[in-house]
Amino acid sequence: MTTVQSTDFHIMRGHVADGTVIIAPSGKRFTLKNTLRGWVVVGPDGVECSGTLSSAYDVEYFVVNGLQTH
């Protein structure tokens, strides 16, 4: 399992993988999950917070931009 800061997240570093733990600037830990239709980011409370992300680029965009306020 990989753990990465949201500001350091990048698709070319192998961070788009099932089970990757992403630490937001607030210190909250989010988990990246693979589904049949794409990827989802699950919050520390176990609730999906991203919707379905269909590509690795979409995952990176959500993590780098969307998690900055979480």
Side-chain angles (χ1 to χ4, degrees), residues 2-65:
T2 303
T3 302
V4 63
Q5 297 286 332
S6 63
T7 54
D8 296 330
F9 191 93
H10 197 278
I11 58 177
M12 297 302 286
R13 295 185 190 134
H15 294 149
V16 180
D18 190 50
T20 298
V21 175
I22 304 155
I23 303 172
S26 65
K28 292 181 183 176
R29 293 176 173 259
F30 295 83
T31 305
L32 185 59
K33 300 284 184 180
N34 189 2
T35 67
L36 292 175
R37 294 189 291 160
W39 300 91
V40 294
V41 178
V42 178
D45 54 359
V47 176
E48 179 185 314
C49 63
S50 66
T52 301
L53 304 166
S54 59
S55 70
Y57 175 77
D58 291 337
V59 172
E60 179 180 355
Y61 187 86
F62 178 80
V63 169
V64 172
N65 297 297

